[in-house]
Amino acid sequence: MAKKILVVDDEPQIVRLLSQRLRASGFDTYGANDGYQCLKVTKEVKPDLILLDIKMPAGGGIQAFNNLRSSIYTQNIPIIFITAYPGPEVEKQVKELGADGFFAKPFNSAELLEKIEALISE
Amino acid sequence: MNEKTKQFYNKILDELEYHKDFEHQLAESEQKYRSLTDNLSIGVYRNTPGNKGKFIEVNPALLKIFGYQDKEAFLKINVSDLYVNPNGRINVINKLEKQGFLKGEELKLKKKDGTIITCSISASTVKNEQGEITYYDGIIEDITERKNIEQALKANEVRFRKLFDSAHDAFMTIHPPKWNFTSGNPAMLKLFGIESINDYLKLHPVDLSPKKQPDGRLSSAKAKECIETALERGSYFFEWTHKRLNGEAFPATVLLTKVQIQDEIFLQATVRDISEQKKGEELREKLLETAQQLTKSLDLDKVLNQLSEQARSLLNSKGISIYMLEEDGETMKAIYSHYPPYDKEVMKTKININNSLTGQVIKNKKGQIFNDADSNPASFHIPGTPDRDDDHIIISPFIIEKNVIGTMNLYRREPQYTDDDLTIVNTFATYASTAIKNARTYNNLLEEMSVREKAEAKVRLSEEKYRTLTQNLNVGIYRVTPGSKGEFIEVNQALLDMFGYKNKEELNDLNPSNFYQDPSKRITYNKKLKDQGFIKNEEMIYVKSNGRPFIGSDTAIAVKDKNGEAIYYDGIIDDITERVALRNKLVENEEKYRSLVSNSPDIIMRVDQEGVINYINYTFAGEKPSSLIGKSIYELMPSEFHDKAKRAIRMVFRTGDRFSYEHIGVSAKEEVKWYRNNVGPIESQGEIVGATIIARDITEEKQIDVMKTEFISSVSHELRTPLAIIQESVAQVLDGLHGDLTDTQTDVLGPCIGDIKRLTRIINNLLDISKIEGQNVSITREMVDIVSLARNVLHSFELKAQYKDLELIFTTKIKKAELYIDHDRIIQVFMNLIGNSIKFTEKGHIELSIDKFENEIKCTVTDTGIGIPHKEQATVFDRFHQVGKAINTPDKGSGLGLSISKGIIDLHNGTIGVESELNKGSKFFFTLPIYSEDEILIDNIEKGITVATRKHIKLSLLIIRLNSYEAIKTQNGKELAKETTHKILEAFQEVIAPGEFSFIKGNNEVVLFSDITKRNIVSIVNTIEDIVNKFVSEFSAKITIDISYGYSVYPNDGDNAKELLQSAYKTLLSNNN
């Protein structure tokens, strides 16, 4: 059965494009545009991996992450952050939170796919 | 009486006999020269003793001096009647009889028409066999006019020299309509003794002048004239007596220059105090006068004695001797020596011209300075005199009719003689020569000749003297008839040389107006001489025979007959072309720099090596320029900037390059401002004698910069999402996710990926720069050998260079230079600089050189490329600055490379700069301070403490020691051992995060200062240990890693770096045991 990936970004174009890319690689994809939707969709579809934007309305990525990690049902879902605000500070924060990956926009989709495959196969 | 004298005497007698009109001719010739050199003319007389006294014999010059035409009438008057003071004659006679002679006695005497003149009298008594005084013989010289001309000539020379010596001139501006002061520099306040600029601005130029000028005119009226002249001519240079606020008057020169800025016209004035020069001038003049008068005396011993003493004391010399050349033409004998107590030795030693310095001078016929004469192999040591007394010698020859007859030698120990000294000695020697000649001839003749003959001989002597003087002067002397078709009656050689003609006749073949570039000047010349009787220092452009123009300064007087009609104009022309050129250049330069300084809003300072201010143009830090002079610039900024400032100044003095640094300071209005100080060298004769600092207020720039940085940061973030969308869309299409593409479609879309990558690079750079500039980035310092790092970076460009056929050169005198720097960031700087050089160089080479100074490493990248226009060099490190926007290069940059480089170097407390010449190449250089391990450690910990205090957080100082270092080193070599230590650092960064302060101390210790909590430390150390063990196991199966650690917490265990380190080491040791 195809693995499910949830793409969360407040920019619908990103969600659309990433989904297209992932589907081309054989994943099932789901989308969300803010933190609240992210939690909702996660609850519904139980994705195998989440691509999470950090800066979003209605609960940013960090808040969504903390929520996901604090629930026993979702705490083991691998989460990769994708942000337009890279930098050592953010990187450090992400690392401390215990995220599984970190990508800066504009991302290289080949590298991103590689990382996703690695995390899902574990 | 010797044979020579006899012959000479007989010859004169013969001439007297065979040429009855000789006397007449002689008188005529004498008259000609005498009146030609009117200002030097001398009267010769013999008169009888007694209170009244009668003249027995007088020469025509004497009659002329007193305004008599008729000799018989003059012989009838009482000598005492010539005196202004009725008792004058008695006083003079008393003095004369008491000392047997008079020398250069200055007296006020009356002319026939009652005019009072100043005369110089030298006289001696003539006694009969019984020892009674029978006559007084004497020489009278009218020195009134001579003084004037001499002064005029000298003033000319001195005037230009003074312009030259420009250094601490007072500058000011005055504005119409009242011509009040509107600005002035510190030198001006000092000059006039004014407290503050505000006091000064209330003053008018007339307040700083005495009521009257030395010529008796009202200062106010004269000042008005000067201002008008300056406005009319553009600039005007003149002498002016000024007055300080305390009332003290002083002579000065003033240069008024008209300045027009837009519609406003005002004057800039440069005032120079010349009282010191005036004093010197007066002293020299006085000495010169004495010397001149002395030479007229006929007592040789006395003359030489006094001349020598004057020369010796004027030049502060220890000794002086006069040597005369013997008849053999080879040996020299001293005829005078003042060199106590060795005079005897000097007087008895003969010198050979072939092995002495004196001999050299005689052969060269030119005065010379021999400083440190002892070390001169040609010097001759006089037996019996001390070895090292005559360290510096100056020797000037006595020349009579082109033959050297002797020398004047002066000795002193310190200081060395200068060219000015030589000029003085040469002058004395000239007078001594004349005196020697006069005395020799006179002494010989005196014994033989009748009174009448003696008088005649004296006339002859004086005639000869003046002829030689006239011919030898290097100013042109002429006598010309008035009118438009003037005829030259007499000219000297110098004048002919000056105009390039062979003789007087050639001159007279031409109309005098031909000698002027503007022929109408001849009319002006005639008119002025006719109207005012003289011209003084008129600067005219003359034309040489070859058509070349030159500038001459003409001083002339009209010689009038008894009806007051001008019969001749006698004048002196001095070629001042070079001086004028020099003056113009000086004036031009002076104006240029003055307006640069006065129009600059920047603070301009001059400092010495220690940073002590010796000039500053504006008030700064709320203090007046006057109170800032002598202060250190470091007092003007907080201590955190001292290191950068000191390094910049030190590097300017060491390298002669320009450096800059920024600092916070207090403005004139006592506001806190940011300043950027540009430091550059002041060079003099190849040496760096000081540094200029131009401090520019960049506060606004800084504020705008912060805004810009924030703006750029947010924009570059905002750009990332759309960019991601574009990139991904294009990539998907190209990857065939949406169906196959035609070749054309691939061709069109393909390059887009490259451009998107470039755009990404720009955004990354932008973020980087905004972080660096916002000081939001820390550097990770580690020990790096910059020499090998630089070499490696340069090598990495080998291919690119080969492609463009450029040579890469690496030069350094040092093998290794280990610095604590951010390895990756410094590579980034080298990449930027070398990359740029290659990009902008089409042929030639790129040179990377590394120099080590005491506390600094300087890296320089020099290329032979297109260069950078001068005006762009200042902004080259600005963001988005791309040199020559139009440059068509396929390898487009982001325009941020240099800006980032500057940021990185700044973070290292270094400096970065550029020197470039268009089409020749550029030189980019940066310096990195050399810090010790402890300096780095403590500095970084202190920085961390500052942040922690601000954020109210705790920080842990963690030291991890690799105890297995030595074991790894023994088994696997130093490199692997070092790598293992480095792995600890890397592991920490991996576990925690990059950007935290981490540092390798020594070979086997890693120091970390981070917000990790005490509780986490054990697990962190364990994780690190695992990572390192894994690393080591890859190359060695035998070693099990052994690490120990110590820590301390800020602020619990200490509030400064030292305490924290001590505390951490304490726990390290206890953990170890």
Side-chain angles (χ1 to χ4, degrees), chain B residues 295-329:
Chain B
T295 51
K296 280 165 223 146
S297 165
L298 303 166
D299 183 343
L300 184 61
D301 283 351
K302 268 183 195 151
V303 169
L304 292 182
N305 189 327
Q306 294 207 13
L307 266 181
S308 305
E309 269 320 294
Q310 296 277 18
R312 197 179 66 82
S313 69
L314 181 65
L315 295 179
N316 282 324
S317 297
K318 194 172 167 56
I320 184 162
S321 42
I322 304 235
Y323 283 94
M324 299 301 281
L325 194 60
E326 302 272 80
E327 291 194 1
D328 62 6

Side-chain angles (χ1 to χ4, degrees), chain B residues 754-1022:
Chain B
D755 285 313
I756 292 165
K757 289 230 167 85
R758 205 176 107 224
L759 199 47
T760 313
R761 210 163 53 230
I762 293 172
I763 289 171
N764 285 338
N765 281 341
L766 267 177
L767 262 183
D768 212 13
I769 190 80
S770 67
K771 273 184 220 144
I772 288 171
E773 286 186 353
Q775 305 279 317
N776 279 330
V777 66
S778 60
I779 49 170
T780 311
R781 287 185 187 261
E782 54 186 311
M783 193 168 347
V784 176
D785 172 19
I786 193 150
V787 178
S788 65
L789 180 141
R791 192 185 283 121
N792 291 340
V793 177
L794 190 68
H795 278 325
S796 71
F797 282 94
E798 212 59 79
L799 268 178
K800 267 194 176 177
Q802 269 173 23
Y803 181 73
K804 288 183 90 172
D805 208 12
L806 298 171
E807 194 190 349
L808 294 183
I809 307 168
F810 185 70
T811 38
T812 184
K813 284 186 187 145
I814 44 173
K815 281 195 178 136
K816 197 173 178 184
E818 290 188 319
L819 302 179
Y820 285 98
I821 48 176
D822 188 316
H823 179 266
D824 296 346
R825 290 291 195 184
I826 293 299
I827 287 183
Q828 201 180 347
V829 175
F830 275 122
M831 299 283 282
N832 278 333
L833 298 187
I834 300 169
N836 277 348
S837 282
I838 290 181
K839 201 188 293 178
F840 296 115
T841 304
E842 289 311 313
K843 61 177 178 187
H845 64 262
I846 316 291
E847 182 181 351
L848 172 56
S849 62
I850 297 179
D851 297 294
K852 189 177 178 183
F853 297 92
E854 197 187 332
N855 293 309
E856 243 110 356
I857 289 286
K858 184 180 178 201
C859 303
T860 313
V861 178
T862 314
D863 65 47
T864 53
I866 57 169
I868 300 163
H870 196 263
K871 59 174 184 193
E872 282 190 47
Q873 286 178 23
T875 55
V876 84
F877 293 105
D878 289 355
R879 274 192 300 247
F880 295 116
H881 182 93
Q882 275 182 316
V883 176
K885 291 270 154 64
I887 288 166
N888 200 7
T889 152
D891 192 5
K892 284 192 188 103
S894 60
L896 292 166
L898 287 176
S899 179
I900 290 173
S901 299
K902 182 179 185 300
I904 292 169
I905 297 302
D906 280 348
L907 283 170
H908 282 84
N909 294 336
T911 50
I912 191 162
V914 63
E915 276 166 30
S916 182
E917 206 175 321
L918 207 56
N919 301 322
K920 290 238 171 102
S922 303
K923 187 172 111 179
F924 279 89
F925 56 87
F926 64 86
T927 65
L928 292 168
I930 302 173
Y931 289 119
S932 73
E933 197 177 81
D934 285 345
E935 276 177 321
I936 297 286
L937 198 55
I938 288 173
D939 183 54
N940 277 287
I941 295 173
E942 293 290 348
K943 266 186 199 156
I945 289 174
T946 316
V947 175
T949 315
R950 200 175 57 221
K951 290 188 181 168
H952 302 291
I953 54 166
K954 288 185 177 187
L955 284 181
S956 299
L957 181 72
L958 175 61
I959 301 169
I960 301 173
R961 181 182 285 169
L962 175 66
N963 294 320
S964 333
Y965 180 84
E966 286 302 323
I968 303 171
K969 193 177 154 190
T970 324
Q971 288 187 20
N972 306 91
K974 199 177 168 185
E975 283 313 304
L976 271 175
K978 273 187 161 180
E979 251 179 71
T980 311
T981 313
H982 200 257
K983 194 73 199 172
I984 295 176
L985 188 108
E986 271 177 33
F988 172 76
Q989 288 178 347
E990 221 170 285
V991 174
I992 302 300
E996 294 290 299
F997 172 65
S998 50
F999 181 76
I1000 295 176
K1001 187 169 181 291
N1003 286 319
N1004 65 338
E1005 282 176 12
V1006 178
V1007 182
L1008 313 156
F1009 198 43
S1010 163
D1011 60 356
I1012 42 176
T1013 59
K1014 215 167 165 179
R1015 265 185 309 171
N1016 286 337
I1017 285 178
V1018 180
S1019 73
I1020 288 169
V1021 172
N1022 286 338

Side-chain angles (χ1 to χ4, degrees), chain A residues 13 16-17, chain B residues 724-734 738 749:
Chain A
Q13 293 279 37
R16 179 182 61 82
L17 281 163
Chain B
I725 294 164
I726 297 166
Q727 175 173 302
E728 184 55 21
S729 308
V730 174
Q732 285 187 10
V733 174
L734 280 171
H738 307 287
L749 275 183

Side-chain angles (χ1 to χ4, degrees), chain A residues 9 11 13-14 16-18 20-21 24 83-88 91-92 95-96 104-109, chain B residues 717-718 720-721 723-725 727-729 731-732 735 737-738 760 767 771 989-994 996 1011:
Chain A
D9 201 304
E11 174 56 55
Q13 293 279 37
I14 294 281
R16 179 182 61 82
L17 281 163
L18 274 175
Q20 276 173 357
R21 175 66 80 178
T83 182
Y85 294 83
E91 232 170 296
K92 190 186 164 201
K95 231 173 216 171
E96 277 171 353
K105 285 180 189 170
F107 45 84
N108 180 319
S109 42
Chain B
H717 282 123
E718 296 299 324
R720 283 177 179 273
T721 302
L723 197 59
I725 294 164
Q727 175 173 302
E728 184 55 21
S729 308
Q732 285 187 10
D735 287 353
L737 253 66
H738 307 287
T760 313
L767 262 183
K771 273 184 220 144
Q989 288 178 347
E990 221 170 285
V991 174
I992 302 300
E996 294 290 299
D1011 60 356

